[in-house]
Amino acid sequence: MLSLTRCAGQSIQIGDNTRVKVLRIEGGTVVLGIQASDDVAVHRLELYRRLKEPVPSVTVVDPTGKPSLRSSLARFFRPRKTASQ
């Protein structure tokens, strides 16, 4: 691992298309700005790890025993409020 020391306002260049800049330092927190090409995904490490976790498969079955598309999709969409609600 390469270890670098940078002050606020200074940057490092990674390859031809990625630049990391120290925007400011607030107490024990370093605020970074990352400039990368659109084909480079940039995530916080904890989010990246969650994105790589396998997604559990869920199948909802209606009382007739057939999978219900509506009930399967219901967990992804919130019901719309009507004017009377």
Side-chain angles (χ1 to χ4, degrees):
M1 174 185 293
L2 174 64
S3 178
L4 299 172
T5 302
R6 299 278 81 194
C7 296
Q10 294 181 324
S11 300
I12 61 169
Q13 184 75 30
I14 302 171
D16 292 332
N17 300 318
T18 304
R19 181 174 294 164
V20 180
K21 183 175 184 177
V22 178
L23 299 177
R24 63 185 175 277
I25 301 169
E26 300 172 347
T29 302
V30 177
V31 180
L32 301 174
I34 301 169
Q35 184 178 8
S37 58
D38 291 340
D39 62 329
V40 175
V42 178
H43 302 287
R44 296 184 327 255
L45 182 57
E46 63 274 15
L47 177 59
Y48 178 79
R49 287 180 176 154
R50 287 184 57 201
L51 290 170
K52 293 297 180 181
E53 290 176 0
V55 178
S57 175
V58 176
T59 303
V60 179
V61 179
D62 72 9
T64 64
K66 297 179 183 176
S68 167
L69 178 61
R70 181 180 179 143
S71 60
S72 296
L73 293 176
R75 66 186 183 112
F76 296 106
F77 303 97
R78 293 183 181 155
R80 290 190 223 174
K81 291 186 178 181
T82 61
S84 62
Q85 291 180 332

